[in-house]
């Protein structure tokens, strides 16, 4: 079975594939054009897909009828048309759990960085612009006892809530597709409507899976309902926020600050006006960028492929219904 890997991954995953006797193709130049990428896919049975540069949509599946399975090097699968995959009996693997702690760490980092205007003050140091002591300049805010609102209380959201509860004794509210009994029992989390979430959160952190109906969900009409001292955090997908509206809300003081590990578009333009604001911190999508998380992702992606090659179900599958539909 031929496996195409579009970018280098930790050797942990490669070794698992080699030990299973699979034939691996890895391009010398990883910055592939769409046409080059498609040609590699057309010569493979399975794809280990890193990044979301290209879409696995109807046009892709029609151009690559040879593809039997796709193992994503990510938790999210918004760049895959799951319905099309299901119709073709193609399982889509993903890598849950192993990056929950690392990604929640980044959300926690962004929250604190924004609260204390760390990026802005670090830039002043780099520019040699400490200035004279000013008791009123670029003041931050403390997080103790504030209310954390979680949009999408899955594994990563739970980790973020737990950190905030333990570190700052924050109250936890959340909006989710369903109630999370563990969070309510262990963290005292309270399920609220979306409107209550945006009105009552001092920090609002997004941890939901992105779907087309979520596009620009956090727009000006939402931001203007938030607490003027609220901090907006997104480590999920940039499509959740309308960044022109976010900039307007920040400059009009509808909200206090924003921390983004994902942007819309991504990568963010170096000329984005958001980068000029003292109460904004932006990171280049590093949520899972730890040695431990990336090695874990490589292991899970490889295990998905090996299981498939052995005729077994993928242990970490984003569309498990594909097995029920064709059992």
């Amino acid at each position: 079975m031929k496996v195409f890997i579009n970018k280098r991954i930790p050797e942990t995953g490669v070794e698992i594939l080699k030990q299973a006797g699979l034939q691996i193709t890895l391009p010398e130049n990883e910055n592939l054009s769409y046409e080059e990428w498609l040609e590699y896919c057309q010569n493979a049975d399975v794809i280990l897909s890193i990044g979301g540069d290209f879409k696995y949509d109807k046009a892709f599946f029609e151009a690559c009828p040879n593809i039997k399975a796709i193992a994503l090097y990510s938790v999210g699968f918004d760049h895959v048309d799951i319905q099309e995959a299901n119709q073709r009996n193609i399982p889509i693997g993903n890598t849950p759990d192993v990056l929950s702690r690392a990604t929640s760490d980044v959300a926690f980092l962004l929250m604190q960085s924004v609260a204390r205007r760390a990026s802005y003050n670090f830039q002043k140091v780099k520019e040699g612009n400490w200035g004279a002591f000013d008791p009123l300049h670029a003041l931050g805010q403390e997080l103790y006892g504030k209310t954390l609102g979680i949009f999408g209380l899955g594994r990563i959201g739970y980790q973020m809530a737990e950190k905030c509860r333990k570190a700052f004794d924050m109250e936890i509210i959340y909006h989710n597709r369903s109630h999370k009994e563990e969070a309510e029992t262990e963290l005292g989390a309270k399920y609220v409507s979306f409107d209550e979430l945006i009105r009552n959160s001092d920090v609002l952190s997004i941890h939901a899976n992105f779907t087309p109906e979520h596009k620009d969900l956090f727009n000006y009409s939402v931001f203007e309902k938030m607490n003027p001292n609220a901090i907006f955090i997104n480590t999920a997908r940039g499509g959740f926020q309308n960044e022109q509206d976010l900039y307007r809300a920040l400059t009009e003081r509808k909200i206090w600050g924003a921390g983004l590990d994902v942007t819309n578009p991504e990568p963010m333009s170096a000329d984005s006006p958001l980068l000029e604001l003292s109460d904004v911190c932006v990171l280049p999508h590093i949520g899972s960028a730890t040695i431990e998380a990336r090695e874990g992702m490589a292991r899970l992606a490889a295990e998905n492929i090996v299981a498939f090659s052995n005729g077994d179900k993928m242990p970490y599958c984003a569309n498990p219904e594909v097995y029920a539909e064709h059992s």
Side-chain angles (χ1 to χ4, degrees):
M1 187 170 285
K2 295 181 287 186
V3 179
F4 168 50
I5 309 176
N6 62 303
K7 292 183 180 181
R8 289 173 300 135
I9 62 172
E11 197 62 27
T12 306
V14 176
E15 282 302 312
I16 291 172
L17 296 174
K18 287 181 178 178
Q19 289 172 11
L22 299 172
Q23 181 182 333
I24 299 169
T25 300
L26 184 68
E28 290 186 13
N29 175 20
E30 297 181 355
N31 296 315
L32 300 173
S33 67
Y34 177 80
E35 291 74 20
E36 291 170 333
W37 170 75
L38 197 64
E39 185 176 350
Y40 275 107
C41 292
Q42 288 170 337
N43 290 300
D45 300 303
V46 178
I47 302 169
L48 199 167
S49 177
I50 298 92
D53 296 339
F54 306 121
K55 304 292 185 183
Y56 295 98
D57 53 14
K58 184 176 181 179
F60 166 82
F61 288 119
E62 288 179 347
C64 300
N66 49 295
I67 292 299
K68 303 172 181 66
I70 299 171
L72 304 177
Y73 190 77
S74 65
V75 176
F77 46 89
D78 48 290
H79 56 307
V80 180
D81 188 327
I82 294 294
Q83 184 176 355
E84 288 291 334
N86 288 346
Q87 289 178 357
R88 291 166 169 80
N89 195 23
I90 297 174
I92 307 296
N94 66 344
T95 61
D97 293 335
V98 291
L99 50 74
S100 298
R101 186 160 56 186
T103 304
S104 67
D105 284 348
V106 168
F108 192 70
L109 169 68
L110 284 168
M111 176 182 70
Q112 295 179 84
S113 296
V114 173
R116 297 302 299 270
R117 288 185 155 108
S119 293
Y120 169 76
N121 285 299
F122 180 46
Q123 187 63 33
K124 287 176 62 181
V125 173
K126 291 198 295 181
E127 294 170 352
N129 184 29
W130 287 46
F133 175 71
D134 182 346
L136 299 179
H137 178 67
L139 299 182
Q141 60 171 297
E142 297 184 10
L143 297 165
Y144 300 97
K146 298 287 181 69
T147 297
L148 170 71
I150 298 282
F151 181 74
L153 189 59
R155 300 176 183 93
I156 299 171
Y158 184 93
Q159 292 267 351
M160 173 63 168
E162 186 176 40
K163 287 177 173 66
C164 292
R165 184 69 169 169
K166 291 180 176 179
F168 296 113
D169 195 27
M170 296 178 77
E171 298 295 325
I172 312 298
I173 60 176
Y174 72 98
H175 182 72
N176 204 57
R177 288 176 297 179
S178 59
H179 286 260
K180 295 292 184 177
E181 293 185 7
E182 182 183 4
E184 293 177 5
T185 302
E186 300 296 326
L187 305 177
K190 179 184 177 184
Y191 179 89
V192 296
S193 67
F194 181 72
D195 190 63
E196 289 176 290
L197 183 82
I198 61 177
R199 291 183 184 277
N200 298 329
S201 297
D202 296 308
V203 177
L204 197 158
S205 192
I206 301 178
H207 299 284
N209 288 325
F210 183 78
T211 59
E213 57 264 29
H214 286 139
K215 180 174 171 55
D216 292 342
L217 175 63
F218 288 86
N219 52 39
Y220 187 79
S221 66
V222 168
F223 292 130
E224 68 177 346
K225 295 176 184 176
M226 292 174 65
N227 181 336
N229 288 320
I231 295 172
F232 174 75
I233 303 294
N234 188 4
T235 56
R237 287 290 186 269
F240 277 105
Q241 75 247 354
N242 182 304
E243 290 186 6
Q244 291 181 328
D245 288 359
L246 176 59
Y247 178 78
R248 179 185 171 191
L250 287 162
T251 54
E252 292 180 3
R253 309 312 304 165
K254 300 298 182 183
I255 63 173
W256 195 85
L260 310 175
D261 188 42
V262 288
T263 60
N264 184 17
E266 191 170 300
M268 174 182 276
S269 169
D271 296 328
S272 171
L274 283 169
L275 298 175
E276 301 299 319
L277 302 180
S278 68
D279 41 19
V280 170
C281 180
V282 180
L283 298 175
H285 205 151
I286 62 167
S288 65
T290 66
I291 294 169
E292 296 84 355
R294 293 286 170 85
E295 287 187 345
M297 293 166 69
R299 175 175 52 81
L300 264 57
E303 288 175 357
N304 272 334
I305 292 174
V306 171
F308 177 81
S309 71
N310 290 334
D312 299 325
K313 294 180 180 180
M314 285 186 171
Y316 316 100
C317 189
N319 60 335
E321 64 274 11
V322 76
Y323 294 113
E325 290 177 2
H326 298 88
S327 59

